[in-house]
Amino acid sequence: MTEQPKIVISEIDMERLERLLESLPGNDAGKVALEAELSRAEVRPSKDMPANVVTMNSEVRFTVSSSAEEFCLRLVYPKDVSAKGDTVSILAPVGSALLGLAQGDEMDWPRPGGGTTRVRIEEVTYQPERSGDFHR
């Protein structure tokens, strides 16, 4: 078993995510995965978040390791998932795994039809805390 990377989240995100978790049934798979991520997180004041860390509503540019293909997604709450395919829910396995990672980190990304591919966080192109958008 590989060691999980250290993650950092903001106080505001922690408060909002705890409220979200309270609203979900106990056996919800997304809830269980998110609780596991939050249990190992270092929580910081929002104003002290490193600018290169993925927080809620961050927009992230990724590179697929095997092909150098790039794609961008925004990490969102379930109510904000877009049908356009440009968002990922915090309750999706890849969403909860993404929270708190930083530019340069790599993660396994599920592929359609099974299996995974390795992706690298190239840039956090937008982070609410960095922009002073604490209401997002």
Side-chain angles (χ1 to χ4, degrees):
M1 188 168 157
T2 60
E3 185 178 325
Q4 296 288 334
K6 179 180 142 189
I7 64 171
V8 180
I9 66 170
S10 73
E11 288 176 336
I12 291 174
D13 283 351
M14 180 62 99
E15 291 170 13
R16 291 174 180 164
L17 291 169
E18 286 176 337
R19 281 197 305 270
L20 173 63
L21 289 170
E22 289 171 3
S23 73
L24 299 173
N27 61 350
D28 183 279
K31 177 179 183 172
V32 172
L34 182 55
E35 285 174 333
E37 292 296 317
L38 295 179
S39 72
R40 65 187 183 86
E42 174 189 337
V43 181
R44 292 189 184 175
S46 297
K47 66 180 180 49
D48 295 336
M49 283 301 295
N52 66 341
V53 170
V54 179
T55 63
M56 290 305 300
N57 294 301
S58 288
E59 294 174 6
V60 182
R61 182 172 54 89
F62 301 90
T63 300
V64 178
S65 299
S66 61
S67 68
E69 172 191 353
E70 288 191 354
F71 64 100
C72 296
L73 290 172
R74 184 166 51 104
L75 181 62
V76 298
Y77 294 94
K79 66 180 182 57
D80 298 322
V81 171
S82 167
K84 295 179 197 174
D86 59 350
T87 58
V88 62
S89 171
I90 187 65
L91 293 179
V94 74
S96 60
L98 182 58
L99 180 68
L101 295 181
Q103 182 174 316
D105 286 340
E106 294 186 353
M107 63 186 291
D108 290 324
W109 197 276
R111 290 186 307 196
T116 61
T117 191
R118 195 84 174 148
V119 299
R120 175 182 165 89
I121 299 171
E122 293 297 334
E123 181 182 12
V124 178
T125 57
Y126 169 76
Q127 182 203 67
E129 291 79 1
R130 181 174 68 212
S131 300
D133 294 339
F134 299 113
H135 65 281
R136 291 195 77 189

